[in-house]
Amino acid sequence: MAELLAVCRVYVLHPDPGTVGVTAIDKRPVEGRVKVRPYGLYADVQADRANHGGLDQAVYAYAQEDADHWSAELGREVTPGLFGENLRVSGLDVNGAVIGERWQVGSALLEVTQPRTPCQTFGRRLGEQRWVRRFTQANRTGAYLRVIENGELGAGDTVDVVHHPLHGVTVADWFGAQYGLARAAVGAGAGAGPAGADAADADAPAANPTEPESLEELAQRLLNAHAAGEIRLSVDMHRRSEQAAARAVVD
C-alpha cells in the first residue's frame, strides 16, 4: 500500500544567483494536516512559478525508494524535502506513473503532469559535483502534479491511484526519451512494477526485450490522448510534444 510519509513546505527563502534572485527549494516536513489548493500546499511558496510552479506544477512528489538510492550514492541521508519535494511517498513507483494518472491523497485529488527537470538551483542546493547531470542520468526525477480537487492531506495518508490513462506513457518514459536514458529499476514495494532491484544497479541500462519508443512516438501518443480528452497535457508537455511530433514529420 502506498503511503504519504511526509508533507513538506518552504522553510525559508534563500538568495540564489538565478534569474529570480531567491529560491524556495528549502522545504521541510510539517506536522498535522495541510490544505491543498490549485497552486499547491497552503503556506508553501513558488519562487520561480514560470519554471517550477504554476497550476501544472503545483505539487512535487518524490519516492522514498528513490531517496534511498541517493542516500546510498551520496553517503548521507536524503531527508524529506531535501530535493524540494512537497510529498515524500513510499510504496509507489512515482517515475512509473502515467502522465495524467490521478492520486487520491487524503481528501485531495492530484494528477500527474510531468517529470521534474533538474536545474542549477537544484545543483547548488545539493552541493554535489555534476549533480544535475547525475540526477538526469539516473532517470529518477519524481513527478509534478496539478490539483484536480482541493482538500487536505497529512503524513500517514494512503496514496491511491484512482485513474490510470490508457496511453501508457510514464514520467520515466518521457524523460528518458528526451535524454536517451534507460528506465531505472526502482524498488517501490510489491506489485509496483520493476521493484526490488538493487539500488547499486539502478543507473545501469534496464533489461528490456523491446526497443524503447522514440520521443516522437511517445509525443504522438500523448497528443492523441490529449485530443481525445483522455488527458489534459500541461502547457509545457503539450509544447514539447508538438515540437517532437513536428520533427518526426520533417524527418
Side-chain angles (χ1 to χ4, degrees), residues 50-249:
N51 297 301
H52 302 290
L55 295 172
D56 291 331
Q57 300 178 52
V59 177
Y60 176 47
Y62 205 74
Q64 183 61 45
E65 292 77 13
D66 291 312
D68 290 342
H69 163 83
W70 288 116
S71 292
E73 284 279 313
L74 302 176
R76 57 173 165 140
E77 185 181 3
V78 176
T79 56
L82 182 63
F83 284 5
E85 76 270 25
N86 300 112
L87 308 181
R88 176 68 67 85
V89 303
S90 176
L92 178 66
D93 184 0
V94 176
N95 308 305
V98 173
I99 303 297
E101 181 176 296
R102 291 186 175 184
W103 302 352
Q104 186 74 50
V105 190
S107 58
L109 183 63
L110 310 175
E111 183 176 86
V112 175
T113 57
Q114 62 192 79
R116 184 236 193 104
T117 300
C119 63
Q120 292 304 321
T121 295
F122 188 25
R124 290 187 287 270
R125 163 75 162 164
L126 267 291
E128 298 284 344
Q129 283 192 325
R130 303 185 305 279
W131 175 247
V132 171
R133 179 181 176 84
R134 291 169 67 185
F135 188 81
T136 297
Q137 289 181 328
N139 199 2
R140 296 171 179 265
T141 66
Y144 278 117
L145 303 102
R146 66 165 62 98
V147 179
I148 301 299
E149 293 180 5
N150 296 345
E152 292 184 346
L153 47 74
D157 286 346
T158 59
V159 182
D160 296 315
V161 178
V162 296
H163 175 65
H164 198 77
L166 297 177
H167 63 78
V169 180
T170 69
V171 168
D173 288 338
W174 178 259
F175 190 81
Q178 288 185 95
Y179 296 98
L181 306 170
R183 171 73 169 92
V186 181
D198 190 333
D201 297 329
D203 289 340
N208 192 337
T210 60
E211 187 71 21
E213 290 182 89
S214 68
L215 182 65
E216 293 78 9
E217 291 170 322
L218 296 176
Q220 195 58 62
R221 284 168 61 186
L222 289 173
L223 290 171
N224 290 343
H226 179 86
E230 181 186 359
I231 60 171
R232 178 165 60 91
L233 288 173
S234 69
V235 173
D236 182 57
M237 285 290 290
H238 194 272
R239 175 181 59 81
R240 291 174 184 269
S241 296
E242 286 192 319
Q243 289 174 343
R247 287 197 298 269
V249 172

